[in-house]
């Protein structure tokens, strides 16, 4: 969650060499700390998910991004490095491209993708932990996922309709008091 701290910079330079954290691997002469992080990465792979922003960082068939619990990537019979941004069209507004969805995804995945809200403002993709309500990793939730506790898996909250940024601006308007 803090990629610019000294700890993160050191481990990225020493062990990742430009690769994403989730692609970290064992290496010769690795530290005990790195070996411990690798064990944690295996748990993260079971529970991380992306929230779609611009789709430029999410690989359709290699990253967990579909809104299901547990999170998963899109199914495929083809081998390609397609990005989620390739499934989005921006004219006249940002929306899912139905031709691209039909070309690359099965019917079930098309249905799941059509439920994902696309912000009309330029946002970065966000990596979250899908086994907590706030999206932040907690050791206790990681432990439960590592132990395969199915009773721990929470249902995904319903996807709200409309633009959350617009809703936030409306609530901040300087007008008569509002009721919750």
């Amino acid at each position: 969650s803090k990629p610019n701290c000294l700890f993160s910079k050191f481990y990225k330079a020493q062990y990742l060499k430009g690769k994403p954290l989730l692609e970290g691997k064992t290496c010769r002469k690795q530290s005990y700390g790195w070996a411990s992080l690798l064990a944690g990465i295996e748990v993260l792979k079971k529970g991380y998910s992306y929230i779609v922003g611009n789709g430029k960082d999410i690989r359709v068939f290699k990253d967990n991004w579909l809104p299901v619990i547990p999170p998963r990537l899109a199914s495929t019979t083809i081998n390609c490095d397609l990005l989620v941004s390739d499934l989005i069209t921006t004219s006249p507004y940002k929306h899912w491209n139905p031709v691209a969805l039909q070309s690359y995804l099965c019917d079930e995945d098309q249905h799941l993708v059509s439920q994902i809200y696309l912000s009309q403002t330029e946002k970065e993709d966000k990596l979250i932990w899908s086994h907590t309500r706030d999206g932040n990793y907690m050791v206790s939730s990681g432990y439960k996922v590592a132990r395969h506790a199915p009773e721990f898996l929470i249902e995904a909250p319903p996807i709200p309709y409309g633009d959350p940024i617009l809703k936030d601006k409306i609530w901040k308007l300087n007008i008569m008091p509002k009721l919750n």
Side-chain angles (χ1 to χ4, degrees), residues 79-91:
N79 186 13
C80 69
D81 290 328
L82 191 69
L83 296 175
V84 169
S85 60
D86 298 328
L87 302 175
I88 299 172
T89 185
T90 56
S91 63

Side-chain angles (χ1 to χ4, degrees), residues 131-142:
H131 297 287
T132 57
R133 294 202 187 279
D134 64 0
N136 293 320
Y137 178 83
M138 291 176 34
V139 173
S140 60
S141 64

Side-chain angles (χ1 to χ4, degrees), residues 29-140:
K29 297 184 181 179
Q30 68 186 16
S31 69
Y32 177 76
W34 180 247
S36 300
L37 280 174
L38 288 176
I41 287 172
E42 291 308 312
V43 173
L44 286 175
K45 287 179 181 178
K46 294 178 183 179
Y48 85 93
S49 182
Y50 276 99
I51 294 179
V52 177
N54 57 21
K56 294 177 182 173
D57 296 326
I58 307 170
R59 300 167 300 178
V60 174
F61 303 117
K62 294 182 181 174
D63 292 320
N64 295 336
W65 65 284
L66 294 178
V68 292
I69 298 292
R72 69 174 178 86
L73 43 90
S75 310
T76 184
T77 56
I78 58 175
N79 186 13
C80 69
D81 290 328
L82 191 69
L83 296 175
V84 169
S85 60
D86 298 328
L87 302 175
I88 299 172
T89 185
T90 56
S91 63
Y93 58 92
K94 193 189 296 186
H95 63 279
W96 294 107
N97 182 343
V99 174
L101 293 180
Q102 280 187 327
S103 299
Y104 295 106
L105 303 178
C106 67
D107 290 340
E108 179 187 353
D109 290 351
Q110 288 178 45
H111 176 71
L112 289 171
V113 169
S114 67
Q115 294 176 358
I116 298 173
Y117 170 77
L118 290 175
S119 174
Q120 297 304 308
T121 58
E122 188 65 19
K123 285 185 172 182
E124 295 293 316
D125 299 318
K126 185 176 180 183
L127 191 61
I128 62 162
W129 177 249
S130 61
H131 297 287
T132 57
R133 294 202 187 279
D134 64 0
N136 293 320
Y137 178 83
M138 291 176 34
V139 173
S140 60

